[in-house]
Amino acid sequence: MSLFTWLRPRQINDQVRQRVSRLTPPAPLGEHTLRNQRWVVLDLETSGLNTNRDQVLAIGAVVIEDGAIDFSQQFERTLYQRNHKLTSSVLLHGLSPSAIAAGCDPVEALLDLMDFIGDSPVLAFHAPFDQRMLARALKDHLGYLLQHPFFDLAELAPLLNPQITLREAGLDDWTACFGLEAIERHNASADAMVTAELALILFSHARRQHLDSPALLDQHLQRWRRRRQQSHGF
C-alpha cells in the first residue's frame, strides 16, 4: 500500500451520509435528576492500546434508565476488520481471527451504535480511551464528529469515595471493593454490564452528596480535576 493510498480519506457513500445526517445530536447535560437521565454504558474491545493505530474489534453497551439497568436495551457487535493482525491482545479479549472475519460491517455497526446511544451521555471506565477510539472509528468510517459527553467511572469512583484508598485502581479493583463480579472480563458486553452496576452504586453515592443531576455531577467532576492538577503541579 502506498503512502498516498493510506492517507486518502475513506469514501463515504450517499446512503451512509443520509443515515449520518439523521443521527440524533447529544442533548446538553441537564438539571434533572440522575434517575431521570437515560445513560448509555459503553465498553470497547480493541486490537491494542494505541489510539492512533489500533482498531475497535467489539462493542458492548447497555442502558441505565429510571435508575436501573434496562435489560431490554443492550447492544453487542463484533466488527470485521480487513487488516486485522493477530496480536497478544487476543489473550485478553479472546477474539480470534475467525471471529473478526465473521464480524459485521463497521459502518453498519457504528451507525447502529449511534442510533442506540441517541442523545444520551455515555459512561465508561477509563472513558478517555473509549472516547478517542470511538471518535476515530466514527470519523474514519462515517465522517462523523463525536460530541457526546463521556463520564469516566475511573474518576467518579474516587471522587465520590474519598475515604477509599485504591492507587491506580482499575475496574476489577472498584468492582471488588463494592462486591461486584463480572461474568466474563474483557468481553465488551460483560464489561459494560458490570460497569453499569458500578455506575448505579456511584449514582447512589452522588445523590447522598447532593449531586443529583448530570450537570451538577459534571461540574463537581471538573472542579475535582482542577484540584488534582494543581496538587500535582500541572
Side-chain angles (χ1 to χ4, degrees), residues 81-99:
Q81 297 291 2
R82 182 180 57 185
N83 299 319
H84 175 63
K85 297 179 181 179
L86 185 64
T87 67
S88 59
S89 64
V90 73
L91 298 175
L92 292 176
H93 54 61
L95 293 167
S96 66
S98 60

Side-chain angles (χ1 to χ4, degrees), residues 41-44 59-62 69 75 123 171 187-198:
V41 185
L42 177 73
D43 185 81
L44 305 179
I59 304 170
V62 66
I69 298 170
F75 184 94
L123 298 166
L171 180 59
N187 170 281
S189 294
D191 282 354
M193 188 62 68
V194 76
T195 302
E197 293 172 357
L198 175 61

Side-chain angles (χ1 to χ4, degrees), residues 99-202:
I100 301 302
C104 60
D105 179 2
V107 169
E108 292 298 321
L110 292 167
L111 284 167
D112 290 346
L113 174 66
M114 296 314 296
D115 276 332
F116 180 83
I117 291 175
D119 66 355
S120 302
V122 179
L123 298 166
F125 199 92
H126 290 149
F129 175 78
D130 293 82
Q131 187 175 14
R132 287 194 290 269
M133 290 295 295
L134 179 59
R136 198 183 107 229
L138 290 167
K139 182 180 178 182
D140 288 348
H141 289 284
L142 307 180
Y144 178 85
L145 178 62
L146 180 65
Q147 295 181 303
H148 289 67
F150 275 64
F151 284 78
D152 186 3
L153 297 191
E155 292 183 324
L156 288 179
L159 164 68
L160 298 170
N161 297 276
Q163 77 284 2
I164 298 176
T165 303
L166 292 173
R167 295 182 62 83
E168 300 181 1
L171 180 59
D172 290 331
D173 299 300
W174 282 108
T175 53
C177 180
F178 293 115
L180 303 174
E181 185 176 351
I183 299 173
E184 181 183 357
R185 281 289 281 118
H186 300 292
N187 170 281
S189 294
D191 282 354
M193 188 62 68
V194 76
T195 302
E197 293 172 357
L198 175 61
L200 289 176
I201 292 173
L202 296 178

